[in-house]
Structures are given as structure tokens and as C-alpha cells.
Amino acid sequence: MDFTLLLQQLLNGLSIGSVYAIFALGYTLIFSILGIINFAHGALFTLGAYFTYALMGERFGFNGLLANVALPVQLPFSIALILGSVLVGLVGVAIERIAFRPLRRRRADPLLTVVSSLGVALVIVNAIQYLVGSESYNFPVNTYGNLPVAINFGTADKPITIRTVQIVIFAVSVAIMGILTYCINYTKFGKAMKAVAEDPITANLLGIPTDFFIVITFFISSFLGGVAGTLVGSSVSIADPYFGIRYGLKGLAVIVLGGLGSIPGAVLGGLVIGLVEAFVPADYSAYKDAFAFGILFIMLLVRPQGLLGRRFVQKV
Amino acid sequence: MKKSTFLGSALLLAFASLLSACNQTNSGPNATTTANPSAGAVSSNSIPIGIALAQTSNVALLGQEGIQGAKIAEKYFNDKGGINGTPIRLVVQDTGGEEAGAINAFQTLITQNQVVGIVGPTLSQQAFSAGPIAERAKVPVIGASNTAKGVPEIGDYVARVSAPVAIVAPNSIKAALKINPKIEKVAVFYAQNDAFSKSETETFQQTVKDQKLDLVTVQKFQTTDTDFQTQATNAINAKPDLIVISGLAADGGNLVRQLRELGYKGIIIGGNGFNTSNIFAVCKALCDGVLVAQAYSPEHPNEVNKVFRTTYVNQYKKEPPQFSAQAFTAVQVYVEALKALDQKSKVTAMPLPQLRTELNKQILAGKYDTPLGEIAFTPVGDVIQNDFYVAQLKVDKDGNNGKFAFLK
Amino acid sequence: MAEFLANYGFLIVSMVLGALLGLSLYLPLMTGQLSLASPGFYALGGYIAAILSTQVFKVSGGLFPIGLVLLEMLIAGVVSGILGVVVGIPALRLRGIYLAIATIAFVEILRILSLNLDITGGAVGIFGIPQPFQTPLEYLWIALPLLIVSMVILYRLERIRVGRAFTAIREDELAAGAMGIDPTYYKVLAFTLGAILAGVVGALSAHFLNTWNARQGTFDASIVYLTSVLIGGTRTFVGPVLGGMVFTALPEVLRAIADTAGLPLWLAQFLRDGRLIIFGLLIVLGTIFFPQGLVTPDLLKRQRHK
């Protein structure tokens, strides 16, 4: 393996991994506060892409209830991205109200929240399909303005190329990781959140509005899901309403590998799995997903708290 | 607590009674008559033909395209007088993307809706599961999108109008050589979790060898993949002049896009999976110039295709996709076979089991002039089709308007 | 009645199979372990039957002997049981969501293997699986006794020492361990019993569906069965049986309602194309309003006192 090829594979791995990382950030945030896995995250990811697409004034296709409809607004990509993700955040808050809070109030078995969130995912995905059909959509060509589509780190003769959009995704996921880590560890707000995560009842007695913090967590997690969905959609198009769900299982592998509930762990886990997939020899590329899940399985047996997770009392 | 358990048992009871109650009604919402199960004869008001395609799940798009084509056919042939005066009536049942869904849809169509024949299902794997059901019930089935090997062999009552397009793969490679005679190195990509792509790529690779070209690399991917960074850079490093892709629209389109963005400048050939306007949304302007072999051309000059194409364009503002044309064709085969049968003896007077069996014989015996061109069937029920095409994708700069331009 | 059976023969058998799969998921739940591995064993059992009946027991002409189907079911059960022990011993050290994730990974690994191996027919799968019966309804001859036997075994199991040990572990594993119950042994036992049942059902399903491929017994299927068990009820085996039946029938019930004459067109349309939206809503509402499931032990008790 010569040096150019090695570098290229390394970049390939980071490029694949950054998508997993950005997906996993919002996923793991909910776990860190509530100790539950929100299987609807994949559906929110999809929703983000569709909302942004709609806010840019793009037209929907000819299947579904809203055939050939376009919103009368035409926002630029960046603003549509933020607005669309805020909308996804609000949907997340609604989901918390409808599907999670009643169960939490009753101290129901956490397994029930898994089922409930799966039900929510089913509703969202099929509602999208019912409204706008299942055809593919894509953002306009000039989404990223004048940035080149790909950057060559090598020479013309020995190219080491990576697409710009992947660099954007990588940078955004690292930035989100930094901001979240800082907020949770060094601000008053974050400390309160941590208290809620440790022991909601005591936190409540200490005067921390538990429900409010849980709603905020859901909002942030869903907002991040929306951002991630839009960015990934701009990289690989919005294939169909199921497009976010497909990352769900891989995302699970990522957050377990990194450590459930660990924010840096989500990014590290994503990059590690991306690198593993990139370095699977071409002859065995069919088995690359099996490698990812194999690592997950072994990791669970050897070190269930993941690479960066801490041992914590089982809530589940 | 007590109250909720009572509620629960009440719900269960209601549920059980619903199933039996639903059985009392036995016709679709747009039915004008109720079928007469005892005699099993088709009512003289309309002749029901079943459409079992996916309206839900992740293959819904393919199913929806098929249903559009079938609906156009229904209107077109009924306007022309139906079956010598008796109109046909399509009964659509959703198969979803699963085998059990396809079996249930077939069952409902056969026993409840009393159809004379079925068009469907969407996927070849569903055909392997639901086909034997129709075979045992002796109901003719025409597949409109099943291209896998072995579908017509399911039984005597199973036929298809969707050609295994592997036959046409050589055409697109020859077309590429016409555009650029200097092609030497070829890279091949295929989706290895998709039955059709796997068999198609074998044909492509054979053609590459037959044309004395150098196959520099074969890259595999999954239809569920979205990031082709690794496969694309591996292929580009081998410096090919031609890249051949067998995959479906979303993954294939992404692959084209990523190859182009990573700097590949040569010709790209897509397989049958690229045969949908969905592809344009995925790779936008970067699709421009991709060559695709086709079993259908909107520009086919015969009369029925002209009508089909105009109707489709008026309704959906774009060129008809291959799956719509194939579903239209399947309905047309039923209509013409029923007409031929009706001339021998009145179909509305025939008992249903006899009608189904006679209809099946008639389907295989006939020749049809359809939007796909002249077709007929082999004794086992595979389609014999003469006209295949190569199209080149043409997209304008901002990527909003794409079309298939057919190469002569 | 005959017409009803002809119409819904396939569905009735599917409901029985659904109930059996619900039970296979319920068995590990008896010890408080959420395992989603059942669909993996179900897929494995199906492949065993599909390969044996199409390549090993070549029977020419006529119906496939029922004895051979039963033999395939036995082989599938044995193989699933062995694999259940091998996977169960390391995996059952995990609890709660970690175990669920580990079993999801196991199912995915099996799926990817079956998608790529030649013996499993790759992406196409195995088709033309021979039929032991003329009509789908006749599969009840095998499926119904299987369900009755499983239910009797579970009924007994819930009342003997083993069942009580299961319950003790579910309620409090530490305390159960302190009382001299070996949690690992019982957890692996419950897991393996579930695996055997899933494998046997898979073997029968391969014949029933005429074809078998990597799309059978995936994560999506796990979800449906998990839902049916949790909403049916996790405290008595009657819950999963009813839940499995109801959730197998639900899509078809919605289809039948959509076909009812006299509905407004928009509603019929919604029932037809939006079926899964309703399905999802029912799942959410079910978990919120029936956290114990629809069928709870005290419900059964009350029925008995009436």
C-alpha cells in the first residue's frame, strides 16, 4: 500500500465516518440525559431534509397529497437550514409531549419508550410519503455557493480527492461536539442538565425544572437531527422518506462504540466505524456492514460502556 | 387499572368482529356491482382486472409509476369500447414491499375481488412468493416489473412483459464505443444486494470481454449505500475511460454524482435501474451524458404509444417512465386477449374459473402492438420483444429539467 | 364460511405464526431480558428448510411429504438451539438496552451473511420451495398444534420451579442470585427456548411463503413482534399470542375496511395509502394507554372469577 493510497483511504474513512458522527450526536444526547434511545431520530433526520427543501421554495413531485406544491417563500440554503431545523426541534418537543412524557410520568419500563419511539418513526416516515410521495429530491446545484465541489490534496497525477460537502459535514460535527461538550461541562445550564440526568427527582427538589430541561434536550437533539439530515441530504440527495431510517442501525453501532451518552464518543465512534469500513479490502466490501456490527458485538462483550463512556448505574 | 383492562378486552373483541364483518363487503369503493360468488361469473357491467403493486414501503415509487400507467390504460381502452362494449375495471391492492403483503394482495384479488387476472407484483422476490398462489388458484398473472431469472418459470399462469434487460446491455456499450472509439479501460460497479443488478453486471462484464476491452476493476456496493467515496476513488485511480454501473436510481445516481465530483471525466453507462426520471433529482446536472439501455422509448412511433405518451405528459408533466409503459402494456395484453376470447364466446357469460384458464391460454397465443413495440410470449410466458433502445440523459445547467434523449 | 376461509386462509395461518413468533420473543422477556434475536433465528430456520427441501430432499412431482417438513422443523430447532446457547452465554451478561443492541447486531450479521453466501441464494434468495399442502389454510394442520403445544408448555412453565425462577430474575436479579438461583443458567435457558421456537417457525414459514430471502426476519420484523408482545402484554403468555395475532392481522383489517363500500373516497384512499400511519399511531397509543399490555394476569383472573 503506497502512501498516496493510504492517505486516500484515511480521508475516505473520515468522510464516511463524519456522516455517522453527525447522525449520532443528537441520538446520543437524548441518551445522556434520559437514558433512553429515541428510535425516531432517523425520522427526524429525514424530516430536516424535507423541511429545508420545502423552505427553499422547491417543488414537490407528482405523488402524494401535496403533488406539485411549492411554498411561496424562497429562502437561501443557510437560512432554510436553520429554520427547517428549528421546525424539526419543535416536532421533537411535540414527540416528547405525546410519546415520552406520559410514559416517564408513570415510570414505565424504558423498553416501552423504545416501542413508542418506533411508532413515532413509523408515523413520520409514512406521513411524509403520504403527503409528498416517495420520489427522490435534491437541493439546488449551487447550495454551497462558489465552493469547489471537491478538493485535491495530492497532485494531478496522484490525486487524493475528497468532496467539499464531506469536509463541511466533518467540520460541523466537530464544531457541534465542541459546543455541546463546553455547554454541558462548563455552563450553569449544562450543570443543571447533568443533575437532571443523574437524578431527576432530587434535581426537582433542588428547584431545577426537570420537565423544562427534558424538553430543551429534545429540542436540541431534534434540531441537530434536522441539521444533520439537511447536510447529508445535500451530499447524497434525499433518496426517499426512508433515507434517515437507514442510518438508524449504523448510528446505534456508532453510539455504543463511542460510549452511550458520550458526546465526544459519538464523533469518535463514527470516525472509527468509517475508517474500519474504508479499510475493508475491496473483495470483502459486501461484508463491511457485518464488520461494523461485529465490532459492536465484540465491544459490547468486552467493554459495554464503549470507548469514552463512563460506567454508570444501569437505568434500563 | 380495572377500567383499562376492560377497555383492552373490549378492543380485542371489537377487532375480532371487525375482521368477520369486513368479509361481508366484497367490492371496492368504486364498484358498481357486487360480484356473484356462487356462479363465479363476471358481472356484465364491468370486467375486473387486479393490480397488485406497492403503494407503501420503500418500493412505493416503482409501484406508483406502474399504477399511473395502468390507470391510463384503463381509461384509454374503456373509451375505445372496452371488451366489445363491456368496460374493464381495475382493482388496485397494495402489496407493500414484503412477501406476505404480496400474497395477501393476491389472495384478496383472487377470492374477494374476483378478478379475471392480475398485473404485478412490484418486486421479483414478491413474485416468487405470490406467483405460486395464483398458479394454484389458476389465475393468470402478468409481471410488469419483475426482471429476475426464473419468474416466468414459476408456473403456467405466470408471464411477464418486463424483459430481462440483460439482453440489451451490449447495446449501450456499443453506443459508448461509437461516441468514443478510443475506449480501452473499463471499470464496472454493481449493487450486490440487488438480484437484478447482479445478473445485469454479469452480462455487462461479458460484453466488455467480448469487445476486447480491458476490465480494470470491479467495485461492489449496496443499494442502501450513500457514500461511494471509497469505491469511486479506487476506480478513478485505475484511470478508466468508461464506467458501467448496475444499480437502482438513488444509489446509482449518487454514484454518478460522486464520480463526477471527484473528477472522473469519461463516459458512464447506467443499467436498467437508471430507467426512471427519479434519477435526475439525485444527480441533477451531473447526470448529463449518462447512457442507459432501455426496454421502452417514449418516441416509439406506433399509434398506441403516441396516445399513451401524450396522456402521460399531460397528466404528469414529464415523459412516461419505463415502469408506467410496462404496466400499461400488461393491461393492454389483458384487454386484447379478452377481446379475442369474447369473439369466440361471450366472456361475461363464462364461469370465472373457465374464463381465467381460457384467458391464460389466449394471452400466450396472442401478438400485441404495444407502447413497448411488437411483443409476444414464449410458451413459458417470458416476453419476446424486438425493440430495445439506448438513451442518453440530457440535463440543463441548473439541473432542473432532465430527459432521456434516444440515440439512433 | 367456506368463502371466508378461502379468503383469509393465508391470513389465519399468518396470525398463528405471528402468535408463535410473539411467544419466541416473550420467552427471554420472562426473565426480564429484551432480546430481539428471534427474527435472526427465524431467518436461519427458514434457510435450513429452504435449502433442505430444494437441494437435499428432492421430491419429484406431487406434494412434498409432511414428514419431511416436520424433520426440517426439527433440524432447524436443533441448529437454532445450539446457536442460541453459543450466542446466549456471552450476550446475556448484558442487560436492558445493551442486550437489545447486541441482539440487533447479531440479526444484522446473519442478514449480511445470507445476502452474500451462495448457498442462501444471495440477493434473490431461494424460490420454488415445494408445498406439502394444496391450500395455505391447510398449514393449520402443523401451525395450530405447534401453537397449542407451545401454549401448554408455557402454561406449565409459568407454574413450575423454572417459571418461578424466571419471574424471580425478572423482578430482581440480584435478590434471585442471593436466593441461590443461577441467573445466567436460567437466562440462557429462556433465550435458547425462544431461539428454538423461532427456528421451528421459520422452517414452516419458508414452505408457507414459497420463497425465502435475506429480507425475511430482519430488524423491521423484530419491531413488529416486539410491538405485538409489549402491547399484547408481557406478564402472561396469552398477551404475546393475542398481540401477535392482532398485529399480523392489522394491516389486512385496514385493507378490508378500505374496501368497504360506501366510505367517502378520501377516507378509503387514506386507509389504503396511509395504513402505516395508522399502524404507527396505534403503536404509540397502545404503549401510552396500556403500559402493561392489553392482556394482564389480573384481567385473566377476573375472567375466571366471573
Side-chain angles (χ1 to χ4, degrees), chain A residues 130, chain B residues 28-30, chain C residues 254-255 257-260 262-275:
Chain A
Y130 188 68
Chain B
N30 48 359
Chain C
L254 291 173
R255 183 203 299 270
I257 298 175
D259 275 352
T260 311
L263 279 184
L265 199 60
W266 62 268
L267 187 63
Q269 197 69 38
F270 178 71
L271 284 168
R272 206 164 298 128
D273 297 352
R275 279 189 322 191

Coordinates of all heavy atoms in Angstrom, one line a residue, chain A residues 130, chain B residues 28-30, chain C residues 254-255 257-260 262-275:
Chain A
Y130 N -47.0 9.9 2.4 CA -48.4 10.1 2.1 C -48.6 11.5 1.5 O -49.4 11.7 0.6 CB -49.3 9.9 3.3 CG -50.8 10.0 3.1 CD1 -51.4 9.0 2.3 CD2 -51.6 11.0 3.5 CE1 -52.8 9.0 2.1 CE2 -52.9 11.1 3.3 CZ -53.5 10.1 2.5 OH -54.9 10.1 2.3
Chain B
G28 N -64.8 -3.2 -4.1 CA -64.1 -1.9 -3.9 C -65.0 -0.7 -3.9 O -66.2 -0.8 -4.2
P29 N -64.5 0.4 -3.4 CA -65.3 1.6 -3.3 C -65.9 2.1 -4.6 O -66.9 2.7 -4.6 CB -64.4 2.6 -2.6 CG -63.0 2.1 -2.9 CD -63.1 0.6 -3.0
N30 N -65.2 1.8 -5.7 CA -65.7 2.3 -6.9 C -66.4 1.3 -7.7 O -66.7 1.4 -8.9 CB -64.5 2.8 -7.8 CG -63.4 1.8 -7.8 OD1 -63.5 0.7 -7.2 ND2 -62.3 2.1 -8.5
Chain C
L254 N -57.1 -3.2 8.0 CA -57.2 -1.9 7.5 C -57.5 -2.0 6.0 O -58.3 -1.1 5.4 CB -56.0 -1.1 7.7 CG -55.7 -0.8 9.2 CD1 -54.3 -0.1 9.4 CD2 -56.8 0.2 9.7
R255 N -56.9 -2.9 5.3 CA -57.2 -3.1 3.9 C -58.7 -3.4 3.7 O -59.3 -2.8 2.8 CB -56.3 -4.2 3.3 CG -56.5 -4.4 1.8 CD -56.1 -5.8 1.3 NE -54.7 -6.2 1.6 CZ -53.8 -6.0 0.7 NH1 -54.0 -5.4 -0.4 NH2 -52.5 -6.4 1.0
I257 N -61.2 -2.7 5.6 CA -62.0 -1.5 5.9 C -62.0 -0.6 4.7 O -63.0 0.0 4.3 CB -61.5 -0.8 7.2 CG1 -61.7 -1.7 8.4 CG2 -62.4 0.4 7.4 CD1 -61.1 -1.2 9.6
A258 N -60.8 -0.4 4.1 CA -60.7 0.5 3.0 C -61.6 0.0 1.8 O -62.0 0.8 1.0 CB -59.2 0.6 2.6
D259 N -61.8 -1.3 1.7 CA -62.6 -1.8 0.6 C -64.1 -1.8 0.9 O -64.9 -2.2 0.1 CB -62.1 -3.3 0.3 CG -61.0 -3.3 -0.6 OD1 -60.6 -2.2 -1.1 OD2 -60.4 -4.3 -0.8
T260 N -64.4 -1.4 2.1 CA -65.8 -1.4 2.5 C -66.6 -0.4 1.6 O -66.1 0.7 1.4 CB -66.0 -1.0 3.9 OG1 -65.2 -1.7 4.7 CG2 -67.5 -1.2 4.4
G262 N -69.2 2.3 0.3 CA -70.0 3.4 1.0 C -69.1 4.3 1.8 O -69.6 5.3 2.4
L263 N -67.8 4.1 1.9 CA -66.9 5.0 2.5 C -66.7 6.2 1.6 O -66.7 6.1 0.4 CB -65.6 4.4 2.9 CG -65.4 3.5 4.1 CD1 -64.0 3.1 4.2 CD2 -65.9 4.2 5.3
P264 N -66.5 7.4 2.3 CA -66.1 8.5 1.4 C -64.8 8.2 0.8 O -63.9 7.6 1.4 CB -66.0 9.7 2.4 CG -66.1 9.1 3.8 CD -66.7 7.8 3.7
L265 N -64.6 8.8 -0.4 CA -63.4 8.4 -1.2 C -62.1 8.7 -0.5 O -61.2 8.0 -0.5 CB -63.5 9.1 -2.6 CG -62.6 8.4 -3.6 CD1 -63.0 7.0 -3.9 CD2 -62.7 9.2 -5.0
W266 N -62.1 10.0 0.1 CA -60.8 10.4 0.7 C -60.4 9.5 1.8 O -59.3 9.2 2.1 CB -60.9 11.8 1.2 CG -62.0 12.0 2.3 CD1 -63.3 12.4 2.1 CD2 -61.8 11.9 3.7 NE1 -63.9 12.5 3.3 CE2 -63.1 12.2 4.3 CE3 -60.7 11.5 4.5 CZ2 -63.3 12.1 5.7 CZ3 -60.9 11.4 5.9 CH2 -62.2 11.7 6.4
L267 N -61.4 9.0 2.6 CA -61.2 8.1 3.7 C -60.6 6.7 3.2 O -59.7 6.2 3.7 CB -62.4 7.9 4.6 CG -62.2 7.2 5.9 CD1 -61.2 7.9 6.8 CD2 -63.5 6.9 6.6
A268 N -61.3 6.2 2.2 CA -60.8 4.9 1.6 C -59.4 5.1 1.1 O -58.6 4.2 1.3 CB -61.8 4.5 0.5
Q269 N -59.2 6.2 0.5 CA -57.8 6.5 0.0 C -56.8 6.5 1.1 O -55.7 6.0 1.0 CB -57.9 7.9 -0.7 CG -56.7 8.1 -1.6 CD -56.8 7.3 -2.9 OE1 -57.8 7.0 -3.4 NE2 -55.6 6.8 -3.3
F270 N -57.2 7.2 2.2 CA -56.3 7.3 3.3 C -56.0 5.9 4.0 O -54.9 5.6 4.3 CB -56.8 8.3 4.4 CG -56.0 8.4 5.6 CD1 -54.8 9.1 5.5 CD2 -56.3 7.8 6.8 CE1 -53.9 9.2 6.6 CE2 -55.5 7.9 7.9 CZ -54.3 8.6 7.8
L271 N -57.1 5.2 4.1 CA -56.9 3.8 4.7 C -56.0 3.0 3.8 O -55.3 2.1 4.3 CB -58.3 3.2 4.8 CG -59.1 3.7 6.0 CD1 -60.5 3.2 5.9 CD2 -58.4 3.2 7.3
R272 N -56.0 3.2 2.5 CA -55.3 2.4 1.6 C -53.8 2.8 1.6 O -52.9 2.0 1.7 CB -55.8 2.4 0.2 CG -55.5 1.2 -0.6 CD -56.4 1.0 -1.8 NE -57.8 0.8 -1.4 CZ -58.7 1.6 -1.9 NH1 -58.5 2.5 -2.8 NH2 -60.0 1.4 -1.6
D273 N -53.6 4.1 1.4 CA -52.2 4.6 1.3 C -51.6 5.0 2.6 O -50.3 5.1 2.7 CB -52.1 5.8 0.3 CG -52.6 5.4 -1.1 OD1 -52.8 4.2 -1.3 OD2 -52.7 6.3 -1.9
G274 N -52.4 5.3 3.6 CA -51.9 5.8 4.9 C -51.9 4.7 5.9 O -51.9 5.0 7.1
R275 N -52.1 3.4 5.5 CA -52.2 2.4 6.5 C -51.2 2.4 7.6 O -51.4 2.2 8.8 CB -52.2 1.0 5.8 CG -53.5 0.6 5.2 CD -53.5 -0.8 4.7 NE -52.1 -1.1 4.1 CZ -51.9 -2.1 3.5 NH1 -52.8 -3.0 3.2 NH2 -50.7 -2.4 3.0

